[in-house]
Amino acid sequence: SADAPADPCRLADPCRLADSPDRPPARQADAAACRIVLSEIVTMLTPTLLALLALAPLNLYVAPNGADTNPGTQAAPFATVEHARDALRAAKPAGGAVVHVAAGVYELARPLAFTAADSGTADAPITYRAARGTKLLAGKRLDTWRPVTDAAVLAKLDPAARAKVLVADLKAAGVTDLAMGGNGPGMELFFGGQAMGLARYPNQGFLKVAKVEGATKTERGGCKEGIFTCDTDRLERWVDEPALMAHGYWYWDWADQRQPVASIDVAAKRITLREPWHGYGYRPGQWFYMYSALCELDQPGEWYADRERGLLYFWPPQAITPGQAMVTLHPNLVAADGLKQVSFEGFTFEGSRGNGLVLTNCEDVTVSGCTIANLGSWAVSANGGHRVKVIGCDITGCGDGGVSLNGGDRAKLTAGEHLVDNCHIWAYSRWNRMYRPAVQLNGCGNKASHCLINDAPHMAIGFGGNDQVIEFCEIHSVCYESNDAGAIYTGRNWSCRGNVVRNTYLHHIYGHEGRGCMGIYLDDNFSSCDMIGNLFYQVPRAAFVGGGRDNNILNNIFVDCTPAVAIDARGLGWRAYGKDELTARLKEMPYTSPLWTERYPTLPGMLDDEPMAPKGNVIARNICVGGKWDGCEGKAKPYLKFENNLTDQDPLFVDAA
């Protein structure tokens, strides 16, 4: 109160004033008691404060100008993340830790490996936090370029390239493993953050197989042997190319393969590939291109490696400045096994020949706000464990797919709870073109949400297993190099139940040469997927069920799709042979157990109920505008349930555009 009398106990230390002669005896007693209480409080708080201080996170610092002999303080940081990891492993901080990594490029001497010993806990997590502009590099930057002077090389180069192509000595730079990969690309070249192309012909598009000449004939006019003709005048240039490769879609539009060339007969225009040949064989009219040919290094952005001599030839798209050119080096960037309660925030991961982050049996490991780019294989591969999360990341330039999440126990129907959320994944599947999606979900109970996925030769999202959720994603401009393909794809399993694709926007998806593909593709009798509340715009065969059962197509909007819904009865016709395979896969799971019966009530009696018939499919409350509504096979229609679909009226959109 403003008019209250001053109280010396409120204005000064009561313990100091306790013996003041000006005090009344009662106040002196109060002050003495206060002194005793405060003394006791300080005594009690001392161990508590010490315990709280012990639980405070340990802060360590890493900087390009640091040294691993430093204590890792802000004033004297470490030089490497690897040493910070070792310091944490030794310290075992009870309060967790934050490793602050300053901006700069860190060339890794080896992949960054983590074990269970590097884990945090729920109460004491560990965070590796990078400042903006921090790059962990699994490659080698090349800055020692010179003009080409070798007369034999100049003679082989295209005349327009002779004054433009530069050469670097890889072995002198410490890059000794120059092998071209088998399932992967091996060593690659990146410039200015972009993948450079191995010298190829044609520079864009494909050549066509004119005639196959193998002795073992197959259907559709094909053959088993990789012997064929091609009507091109370039064959004479390729005869003396020692590392010549061919990459083609040799038999099916969805099955590519890279193969070395054994020989070229210029007069007969015949190309013979080296065995083993493509498993499906070869057909006339299929498409391919030739690459890894020095003579075809004829435009900016192309390169060629003389792997025997350790020389790299490159026509840079612009003048080279230090740090712009990099070759991939290590097999991975980060490898973690059994790691728990650790986060990686804000890094750029780049330059491995294999994966970016390999997370095996990890729990509560989060990769957030990172850029993962320019790799030979996957950006993130999580196998086993629980709650691996990839959140808010930009992922591009991957030789294979983006994020592969495999977690949970299908037999026990326990969820892995892995998550990829709010990521932009684009220009992936750069080397292996088919079946390397931006997101792959396997196991049980994992999720992909709020992701933007675009510009890929094949799939956007693949899934298998149980109780997977795909929601609130946007997908466009995929499947551009393949046909009979699905932007979201799965197939061939009756036991994969409880999956849902909802509230996702798929648009501008056409297939190779505009010959058609699918939006959501449930292939070869796959059963039990809910497609709910999605928007399809300019997608051929938008919701496609290949003979499967118990699929719900509900509350979707189809705009300019041809057709919107397509369901066939392949299991009663040409695909009837697949019953044994599907039955065997079903019996791998305890599908008649009480747990499975309660979760999936239509499954237990399936084998006694025309299992190859497309029963139980419900198509309800959908809107179709433009294009074509019904693409269902006549043999399938008696098994299908259509109700309350708006297909021939104006839906009265507030704003159709």
Side-chain angles (χ1 to χ4, degrees), residues 378 401-403 425 428 435-440 448 452-463 470 473-479 486-489 506 509 518-519:
W378 292 81
V403 179
I425 308 173
Y428 55 91
Y435 297 98
R436 301 300 196 277
V439 177
Q440 178 69 45
L452 171 61
I453 299 169
N454 58 278
D455 293 281
H458 198 222
M459 300 156 54
I461 299 177
F463 69 93
I470 299 164
C473 294
E474 179 179 355
I475 299 168
H476 71 87
S477 309
V478 298
C479 300
I488 299 175
Y489 177 87
L506 299 95
I509 301 166
M518 292 73 168

Side-chain angles (χ1 to χ4, degrees), residues 253-254 287 458 479 481-485 510-517:
D253 297 359
W254 39 263
W287 54 92
H458 198 222
C479 300
E481 203 170 277
S482 52
N483 295 306
D484 191 16
Y510 306 111
H512 182 61
E513 297 178 339
R515 288 192 281 164
C517 57

Side-chain angles (χ1 to χ4, degrees), residues 220 247-257 278-281 283 286-287 429 432-436 457-459 479-486 489 492 512 515-518 521 523-524 541 570 574-575 577:
R220 298 175 183 249
H247 177 211
Y249 293 78
W250 301 111
Y251 200 91
W252 298 115
D253 297 359
W254 39 263
D256 68 319
Q257 190 169 336
H278 186 51
Y280 291 113
R283 277 199 297 141
Q286 292 300 109
W287 54 92
S429 196
N432 290 310
R433 309 289 282 178
M434 301 290 104
Y435 297 98
R436 301 300 196 277
H458 198 222
M459 300 156 54
C479 300
Y480 64 69
E481 203 170 277
S482 52
N483 295 306
D484 191 16
Y489 177 87
R492 300 182 184 87
H512 182 61
R515 288 192 281 164
C517 57
M518 292 73 168
Y521 187 0
D523 198 5
D524 289 347
R541 292 191 288 278
R570 66 183 63 187
W574 66 268
R575 190 71 173 72
Y577 71 88

Side-chain angles (χ1 to χ4, degrees), residues 61-129:
Y61 295 85
V62 178
N65 61 350
D68 285 344
T69 54
N70 285 342
T73 62
Q74 191 168 10
F78 297 136
T80 64
V81 176
E82 185 177 56
H83 195 77
R85 175 209 62 192
D86 293 343
L88 288 178
R89 189 181 292 175
K92 295 181 172 57
V98 179
V99 177
H100 305 268
V101 185
V105 178
Y106 299 82
E107 284 191 4
L108 300 181
R110 62 192 65 82
L112 192 56
F114 295 88
T115 70
D118 303 306
S119 297
T121 66
D123 296 325
I126 293 174
T127 299
Y128 291 83
R129 181 173 296 148

Side-chain angles (χ1 to χ4, degrees), residues 197-200 203 296-303 313-315:
L198 273 164
R200 58 169 279 180
N203 287 328
E296 298 296 355
L297 206 170
D298 59 0
Q299 69 173 0
E302 286 191 322
W303 64 282
Y313 298 94
F314 177 41
W315 184 341

Side-chain angles (χ1 to χ4, degrees), residues 410-413 466-467 494-495 497-498 528 550 586 589-606:
R410 291 190 61 209
K412 297 178 181 178
L413 296 180
N466 297 68
D467 303 338
W494 281 335
S495 68
R497 298 264 160 166
S528 181
D550 302 325
L586 176 63
M589 293 291 115
Y591 74 100
T592 59
S593 69
L595 174 65
W596 277 63
T597 299
E598 181 181 358
R599 188 82 66 90
Y600 313 125
T602 63
L603 187 57
M606 179 177 167

Side-chain angles (χ1 to χ4, degrees), residues 85 111-115 118 332-339 344 355-360 362:
R85 175 209 62 192
L112 192 56
F114 295 88
T115 70
D118 303 306
N332 299 302
L333 272 147
V334 174
D337 194 343
L339 191 66
F344 301 93
N355 297 313
L357 296 93
V358 181
L359 308 174
T360 306
C362 294

